[in-house]
Amino acid sequence: MTTDTYFEELAAALRTAGVTEEQIASTVADLRAHLAETGSGAEEEFGPAAAFAAQLGGLAPSPGEPAEEAESWTWTADLFNDRRMLAVHGDQGWEVESLDSLGRFVCRRAPGVALRWEYRREVIRGHRREQALAELSPEGWELCGEWLVYGYFKRPKAASAGPAGALGTLPATPAKWLFLSRRGKVLLGAWVLMVGGASLTLGLPGYTIVLMGVAGAASALVTAKLETAKGRRR
């Protein structure tokens, strides 16, 4: 790829993200000057154009945009359904900023600069944490939250889909906040029966919190074991 082609792709990715032409021109000029000094190739020095555009911060709202214009939404899903719902909501422009203490996805979406996002979940227990970060960071993936043994990573879809990663009309904020799979509903039903029985028999409301934590941790550990085993077979 020639230097001119590289910067054309970079400018297109930044333009899709809503960066002004003045900012794009200034950024490209600075980067060209840097290459002239180092004598390196553009892709060799900066990596893929779309991923580099994301790293430059061009996919974030401009500094002058009022913060109150951004929408906020918090939701959750079970471990059988979280990746599917992250894909659905990412396509609607929701960016995960963090996971709260209850394991819920805390998201934001800014009108006028919203982009589609893509997500992935990885087991990051122990030594796998550094390994996952080392493998995913060069591809533009950013760790956006952790829950039990899992790490959730995000990147703008423009990094892989180019201009198709832009979002035109913003869908309405979902009315729901809980998204359970069929298996999750079965487990929740069993949990409700268990808690009801414990409450009637022992009269201990605290069982609700204890059983919820045990069930969530057990589900996460079992799923993590299955994913780790699958990774080893690959």
Side-chain angles (χ1 to χ4, degrees):
M1 178 185 295
T2 66
T3 300
D4 289 340
T5 301
Y6 182 89
F7 283 116
E8 286 173 4
E9 290 187 8
L10 179 67
L14 293 173
R15 195 172 293 115
T16 299
V19 179
T20 65
E21 292 297 329
E22 181 180 357
Q23 289 176 305
I24 292 174
S26 174
T27 300
V28 170
D30 289 341
L31 296 175
R32 284 185 179 275
H34 172 75
L35 291 181
E37 292 178 1
T38 62
S40 304
E43 190 161 16
E44 175 188 357
E45 184 74 10
F46 307 125
F52 184 51
Q55 294 171 10
L56 288 174
L59 303 176
S62 58
E65 181 180 8
E68 57 268 20
E69 290 186 7
E71 303 174 81
S72 296
W73 179 48
T74 299
W75 61 278
T76 192
D78 59 69
L79 288 170
F80 304 115
N81 206 30
D82 56 352
R83 286 180 288 192
R84 185 176 73 86
M85 297 314 303
L86 282 168
V88 170
H89 298 144
D91 272 338
Q92 295 177 357
W94 291 105
E95 176 188 1
V96 174
E97 291 192 304
S98 64
L99 268 72
D100 65 13
S101 59
L102 298 178
R104 299 177 302 177
F105 298 100
V106 180
C107 304
R108 75 186 299 275
R109 184 173 67 177
V113 295
L115 292 175
R116 291 185 170 89
W117 291 83
E118 54 186 343
Y119 298 94
R120 62 187 295 164
R121 187 184 76 195
E122 300 288 339
V123 176
I124 58 171
R125 179 175 51 184
H127 69 280
R128 290 179 61 86
R129 179 188 181 87
E130 295 303 321
Q131 179 183 348
L133 291 173
E135 291 176 354
L136 297 177
S137 293
E139 298 177 5
W141 293 101
E142 174 188 353
L143 184 64
C144 59
E146 299 180 39
W147 178 246
L148 299 176
V149 299
Y150 291 107
Y152 291 87
F153 293 80
K154 67 179 178 183
R155 73 176 179 184
K157 219 164 189 178
S160 60
L167 191 63
T169 305
L170 297 183
T173 301
K176 293 175 57 177
W177 62 271
L178 177 62
F179 300 89
L180 296 178
S181 64
R182 290 182 180 179
R183 283 179 289 180
K185 291 176 182 178
V186 170
L187 289 174
L188 179 61
W191 172 80
V192 170
L193 291 175
M194 192 183 304
V195 170
S199 298
L200 290 174
T201 304
L202 303 175
L204 297 176
Y207 265 84
T208 300
I209 297 175
V210 173
L211 290 174
M212 181 182 290
V214 171
S219 175
L221 291 173
V222 170
T223 309
K225 185 176 181 180
L226 292 174
E227 292 181 357
T228 302
K230 183 188 292 185
R232 287 172 179 168
R233 287 196 299 271
R234 288 177 180 173

